[in-house]
Structures are given as structure tokens and as C-alpha cells.
């Protein structure tokens, strides 16, 4: 056993179904070991801007406080994608914004509050920050969280299954209106630079084309498929597009970027719909599911994975580990260095069975000759 007496939990980046299950399991597992547990408000803002919060930016996590949260979406701690302590956005007197490194100040806050270790729950950005804090001397374990499923070294991340289930349900519903109006329906889903959600949801719903970030596309093969379907009497088609998809020789569609925040992707679905209408002469509509994929109650799969990850993070700390991420390696949850987990994004392998299966059943990816 380590000399830990008090730990903190933080949730950063975009929310994902299953976050509260991690908080629940980590809190109870820590209390089983006699540790106190606090939650940091809104990533690290609760420590860096504690005076802005009525409770000082920290929540005492007790058995009563986490009771009944497993099934809830979001995070009871709050989250942010603008609170990177390495490049923290600070407004100047003239109204302009700059980025400052507040790592040293953050570590001082941990010491002031008697926090011996941190469990940080997040995606590649949050875990990269976590690795930086570990290298700066903070005892820390990471938990992989992202609906995008794009983290290396773990078979799955919680939030992904819930996002795919909801996206599939939405696409299923669109089949009704697409067939009723003989339309082309283009559905844009999240995923950033990885196409896992688009691939899995598209396949599960039986769409006719899937456009992925991993495969730069041309729309001519998709238009040809739509024409072939029309000749067979199928006057509708469904296309699933990942937000990070881009045409051959083109750029990704960016909705905007703010200081202290990564670029926001979005809008490619509308562009694809307009171009397909021009190519085919058939009426097209687009729908971006956007943040709907993050919301709602987690599936049982994500609840269980969140519970396993939360308990495993506490076990890692009790065994004296630091600078590691808990990872699903069926049938167990094990530990991998944070540096390895954040070295690169896990994208869809072009030779994977899912891609091959999709091609075998006639789904187009826009790279066909």
C-alpha cells in the first residue's frame, strides 16, 4: 500500500456516457482503502479558479454524493475543453487572449489541498495533459474516455458503445423519411479524425455509403451507386459521414476554433449532400447528429466499462503505479504508460475486418475506381 490519504478525480474534454460510472467506482474503491476523495470542478478550473465557485472548486465525494449516478449521462463534476493548464487562456486588459503555462501553479494547488494523487478521466488531449503533470511530479493515473474510440493501447473506451447505439437508432429512423420522399439522406456523426463511429453505426444500420477520415473520398463512386440503386427501383439512399472526412486532395471542414480549444470540425455532411444532389439530380438532405451522440444515459456496456476502469485506477494507485492509463485488454483491465497511450490516435485500419465486411455487402467508401 502507498501512503495515499486523499485523492482527486477530474473529468476533462467532451463529456461521454459512462463518466459518472467511473466516478462512482473510483470513489467507493478509494473509500474501501480509507482514502478521502474530492472531485475537481470543470477539469482543472476548480483548482485554478477556485474562487469562482461557491464550493471553492472542489466537491467532497462520499458514498452519499455518488449514490444513484451510474445511469446518468454527463459528469457530476463538470468538464471543459478550454482549461488546458499547459496553455491556459488568459484575457488581457485590451480584450485580447493569450495562453499561459500554469503547471507550477496547479501543482501548488494540489499540495495546498493535501491531494496525494489524481485520477484524470479524458481523451487524448486530457491524457496528454495528464502525462505532462506526471512528468512534472504529480502522482497520477489516467482513465480513457472518448466516444471517438481513438485512444491507443485500449480495445475500447467507454462512451463509444452509447454513441454508436444512438447513431444507429437515428439512422434507422431516417430510413422511413428517405423511402417516403425518395431522398438521399446524409448523416454526419462525430469522431474527429477517426471514423469508428461512422463505420460501426453505418454498418449496423445498413447504410449505402460511409465516408471516413481514413479514406479520402470522391463522390462519383457514391453517385454511381445511387444511380444503380435507382435503376433497381430503390429510389432512396443513406450516406453516413464522419465529421473529419475529407475529399481527395481537399481539407477537412472546420466549423471554428477558439483560444485554448482544438479546432471544431463540422459541416461536411451538408457539403456532401449538396454535391450529391448536383451529381445525381436527386433531392438530398443532411443531418448532423453532433452533441446528441454525447448525451443521454450510457448503455450497460459503457456503465460496466466505466465501473471497471474506475476501480482499476484506484488499484493502480494502491499498487504504487503512476503515469499509467488503465486499458481494456480482454478479459482483463491492465495498465499501459500514458506516453504510449497518447503517442498517436487510433484510427480505423484500412485492412480491418469491418472495412472488408462493409465492402463485401456493397457499402461504398468513395475510393472505388
Amino acid at each position: 500500500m502507498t501512503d495515499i490519504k486523499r485523492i482527486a478525480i477530474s473529468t476533462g474534454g467532451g463529456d461521454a456516457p459512462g463518466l459518472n460510472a467511473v466516478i462512482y467506482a473510483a470513489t467507493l474503491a478509494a473509500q474501501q482503502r480509507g482514502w478521502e476523495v474530492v472531485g475537481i470542478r470543470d477539469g482543472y478550473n476548480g483548482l485554478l479558479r477556485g474562487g469562482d465557485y461557491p464550493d471553492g472548486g472542489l466537491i467532497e465525494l462520499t458514498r452519499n454524493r455518488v449514490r444513484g449516478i451510474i445511469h446518468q449521462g454527463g459528469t457530476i463534476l463538470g468538464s471543459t475543453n478550454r482549461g488546458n493548464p499547459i496553455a491556459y487562456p488568459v484575457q488581457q486588459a485590451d480584450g485580447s487572449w493569450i495562453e499561459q503555462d500554469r503547471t507550477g501553479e496547479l501543482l501548488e494547488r494540489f499540495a495546498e489541498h493535501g491531494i496525494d494523487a489524481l485520477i484524470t478521466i479524458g481523451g487524448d488531449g486530457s491524457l496528454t495533459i495528464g502525462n505532462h503533470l506526471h512528468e512534472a511530479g504529480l502522482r497520477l493515473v489516467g482513465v480513457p474516455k472518448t466516444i471517438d474510440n481513438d485512444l491507443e493501447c485500449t480495445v475500447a473506451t467507454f462512451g463509444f458503445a452509447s454513441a454508436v447505439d444512438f447513431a444507429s437508432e437515428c439512422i434507422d429512423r431516417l430510413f422511413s423519411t428517405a423511402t417516403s420522399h425518395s431522398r438521399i439522406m446524409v448523416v454526419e456523426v462525430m469522431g474527429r479524425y477517426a471514423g469508428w463511429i461512422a463505420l460501426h453505426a453505418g454498418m449496423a444500420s445498413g447504410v449505402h455509403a460511409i465516408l471516413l477520415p481514413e479514406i479520402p473520398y470522391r463522390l462519383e463512386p457514391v453517385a454511381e451507386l445511387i444511380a444503380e440503386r435507382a435503376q433497381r427501383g430503390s429510389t432512396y439512399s443513406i450516406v453516413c459521414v464522419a465529421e473529419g472526412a475529407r475529399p481527395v486532395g481537399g481539407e477537412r471542414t472546420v466549423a471554428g476554433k477558439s483560444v485554448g480549444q482544438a479546432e471544431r470540425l463540422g459541416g461536411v455532411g451538408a457539403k456532401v449532400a449538396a454535391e450529391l444532389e448536383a451529381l445525381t439530380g436527386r433531392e438530398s438532405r443532411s443531418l448532423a447528429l453532433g452533441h446528441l451522440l454525447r448525451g443521454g444515459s450510457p448503455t450497460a456496456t459503457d456503465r460496466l466499462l466505466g465501473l471497471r476502469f474506475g476501480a482499476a485506477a484506484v488499484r493502480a494507485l494502491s499498487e504504487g503505479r503512476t503515469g499509467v492509463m488503465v486499458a481494456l485488454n480482454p478479459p482483463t483491465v491492465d495498465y499501459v504508460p500514458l506516453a504510449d497511450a497518447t503517442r498517436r490516435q487510433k484510427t480505423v485500419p484500412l485492412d480491418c475486418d469491418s472495412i472488408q465486411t462493409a465492402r463485401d455487402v456493397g457499402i461504398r467508401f468513395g475510393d472505388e475506381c
Side-chain angles (χ1 to χ4, degrees):
M1 293 290 290
T2 65
D3 57 352
I4 291 176
K5 295 181 180 179
R6 195 178 203 217
I7 68 169
I9 300 174
S10 70
T11 55
D15 62 304
L19 273 168
N20 284 324
V22 180
I23 295 169
Y24 174 91
T27 297
L28 297 192
Q31 290 184 346
Q32 290 274 63
R33 291 161 171 79
W35 303 348
E36 294 180 3
V37 188
V38 295
I40 306 173
R41 293 280 193 186
D42 302 332
Y44 297 107
N45 284 343
L47 288 178
L48 293 175
R49 293 168 38 199
D52 294 345
Y53 297 87
D55 55 12
L58 295 179
I59 305 174
E60 295 292 335
L61 294 177
T62 63
R63 184 177 296 273
N64 287 339
R65 185 65 184 82
V66 301
R67 179 179 292 125
I69 68 171
I70 295 176
H71 67 282
Q72 296 177 10
T75 162
I76 63 170
L77 301 180
S79 190
T80 181
N81 54 12
R82 297 174 184 244
N84 181 354
I86 307 171
Y88 201 86
V90 178
Q91 190 171 25
Q92 302 298 288
D94 61 1
S96 63
W97 290 83
I98 63 171
E99 295 178 345
Q100 292 183 349
D101 185 350
R102 300 181 67 182
T103 302
E105 181 183 348
L106 181 60
L107 294 179
E108 290 175 2
R109 296 290 182 274
F110 277 106
E112 289 171 5
H113 289 282
I115 298 171
D116 302 308
L118 171 68
I119 294 175
T120 180
I121 313 167
D124 60 335
S126 296
L127 294 183
T128 297
I129 295 169
N131 189 51
H132 170 77
L133 295 177
H134 154 66
E135 292 175 345
L138 183 64
R139 191 181 306 183
L140 177 147
V141 170
V143 174
K145 173 274 318 172
T146 169
I147 67 170
D148 304 333
N149 197 40
D150 61 352
L151 274 167
E152 285 280 4
C153 304
T154 182
V155 170
T157 57
F158 67 87
F160 174 65
S162 299
V164 169
D165 277 7
F166 184 74
S168 299
E169 179 183 347
C170 291
I171 296 171
D172 291 347
R173 289 172 178 260
L174 287 175
F175 269 84
S176 299
T177 191
T179 55
S180 297
H181 294 273
S182 299
R183 286 175 177 161
I184 300 169
M185 299 296 295
V186 179
V187 186
E188 179 184 319
V189 299
M190 284 184 160
R192 293 192 61 75
Y193 309 111
W196 295 104
I197 296 176
L199 177 62
H200 284 230
M203 289 181 63
S205 300
V207 303
H208 308 105
I210 301 173
L211 304 181
L212 304 176
E214 294 84 355
I215 304 177
Y217 64 83
R218 293 183 306 112
L219 288 180
E220 287 77 10
V222 179
E224 291 171 4
L225 173 65
I226 292 170
E228 293 169 5
R229 286 177 47 75
Q231 291 175 359
R232 298 196 301 267
S234 297
T235 57
Y236 73 95
S237 293
I238 308 287
V239 180
C240 186
V241 185
E243 64 181 357
R246 61 182 178 86
V248 173
E251 301 294 329
R252 295 182 177 88
T253 306
V254 177
K257 186 182 187 301
S258 302
V259 174
Q261 185 182 45
E263 65 179 7
R264 289 182 287 112
L265 302 177
V268 66
K271 289 186 176 182
V272 167
E275 292 178 31
L276 284 176
E277 184 166 314
L279 285 170
T280 64
R282 307 190 68 85
E283 188 177 11
S284 301
R285 293 287 188 272
S286 67
L287 173 68
L289 297 182
H291 289 82
L292 288 170
L293 298 179
R294 295 192 181 280
S297 182
T299 63
T301 297
D302 281 337
R303 297 181 198 190
L304 291 170
L305 189 54
L307 292 170
R308 295 174 68 187
F309 279 172
V314 171
R315 290 199 301 272
L317 289 174
S318 70
E319 295 168 4
R321 300 178 189 270
T322 184
V324 298
M325 180 188 82
V326 299
L328 180 64
N329 183 20
T332 64
V333 172
D334 55 20
Y335 313 111
V336 297
L338 270 173
D340 292 346
T342 57
R343 183 169 293 123
R344 62 185 180 189
Q345 289 183 312
K346 182 180 70 177
T347 55
V348 177
L350 301 187
D351 60 349
C352 70
D353 175 74
S354 294
I355 294 280
Q356 295 174 15
T357 299
R359 294 191 191 279
D360 283 340
V361 299
I363 295 175
R364 299 284 175 91
F365 289 92
D367 64 339
E368 295 80 7
C369 298

